[in-house]
Amino acid sequence: MDLVLHGYFRSSAAWRVRIALGLKGLAATQVARHLRKGEQAAPDHLALNPQGLVPTLEVAGQGALTQSLAIVEWLDETQPGPKLLPTDPWGRARVRALAQIIACDIHPIQNLRVLQYLKRELGQAQPAIDGWARHWIATGLAAFEARLAEPATGRFCHGDAPGLADLCLVPQLGNARRFGCDLAPYPRVLGVEAACNALEAFRAAAPEAQPDAE
């Protein structure tokens, strides 16, 4: 299958998709869209993704998909390989809930465009902006840590194989470290991260391993 992934090495949403591709054993041509230089707003990319965000996954003969969780679920439904969502309805709902703690509640309000708005339009100083990000990351990770105490937890977020929640968690922890968050209160989270990073699909998807890494 001919795939083209538009992303940015440090984008946690694109990072999620890179992990999913790796777990599925799929290769994609990468097109870098440098977020800090505004390349995601180039006309050719807006034609694919009117939001001007990454990731965007072009699928030959079908079109372009946007939104990382939608992309991952499409990959899981259409491609062979390890399943990224459980087969039972309760398990799927639990994994989606964990993933959405990050993708819906933490990530959007500590994302680059939000932080740039705080600085440029609202005139906030950088220490206040960084404190904003740390606050919302800590709030979300505390909830995530509590959910991992449930009986369904194994080495990964849900059982003993990585899935949708894990590929959201690992990039978010990368963000947390960039903002100087204290991760000591989340031992279960860190244990899951260690299990993930023992796998080649996670290591190969890391920002420092990407062709556009700086």
Side-chain angles (χ1 to χ4, degrees):
M1 186 169 54
D2 189 7
L3 301 172
V4 177
L5 178 63
H6 299 255
Y8 177 56
F9 77 103
R10 197 175 283 146
S11 162
S12 57
W15 189 349
R16 298 167 195 158
V17 175
R18 294 195 301 262
I19 297 169
L21 290 168
L23 289 171
K24 288 288 186 178
L26 297 170
T29 300
Q30 292 202 49
V31 176
R33 302 285 181 176
H34 199 298
L35 299 187
R36 292 190 175 276
K37 296 179 181 178
E39 293 176 357
Q40 71 277 20
D44 65 323
H45 188 240
L46 289 176
L48 298 171
N49 186 338
Q51 281 189 290
L53 300 173
V54 296
T56 302
L57 184 69
E58 288 188 86
V59 184
Q62 296 192 64
L65 289 172
T66 64
Q67 294 295 336
S68 63
L69 297 193
I71 293 170
V72 171
E73 291 212 28
W74 177 80
L75 289 170
D76 204 34
E77 291 170 2
T78 63
Q79 303 306 309
K83 299 304 291 182
L84 305 178
L85 280 162
T87 57
D88 64 294
W90 183 267
R92 285 197 302 275
R94 180 178 184 272
V95 167
R96 286 182 175 127
L98 286 167
Q100 289 171 22
I101 288 174
I102 292 168
C104 299
D105 294 334
I106 304 176
H107 176 247
I109 53 177
Q110 53 92 98
N111 204 10
L112 178 62
R113 62 178 182 165
V114 171
L115 303 185
Q116 287 178 335
Y117 189 88
L118 289 172
K119 187 170 188 176
R120 295 171 183 173
E121 276 73 19
L122 300 184
Q124 296 299 305
Q126 195 62 48
I129 294 170
D130 292 344
W132 161 284
R134 285 193 295 270
H135 170 79
W136 294 115
I137 291 170
T139 298
L141 288 181
F144 204 102
E145 177 78 7
R147 294 300 306 267
L148 289 184
E150 297 167 356
T153 301
R155 291 190 303 125
F156 296 92
C157 287
H158 188 85
D160 289 316
L164 181 68
D166 304 274
L167 57 82
C168 288
L169 177 62
V170 169
Q172 185 57 59
L173 291 174
N175 281 351
R177 290 187 176 95
R178 285 198 298 114
F179 286 111
C181 295
D182 177 12
L183 299 180
Y186 319 116
R188 295 184 186 92
V189 160
L190 293 176
V192 169
E193 182 191 36
C196 290
N197 286 335
L199 302 177
E200 176 60 23
F202 283 83
R203 294 195 299 269
E208 62 271 16
Q210 305 316 303
D212 60 323
E214 297 174 354

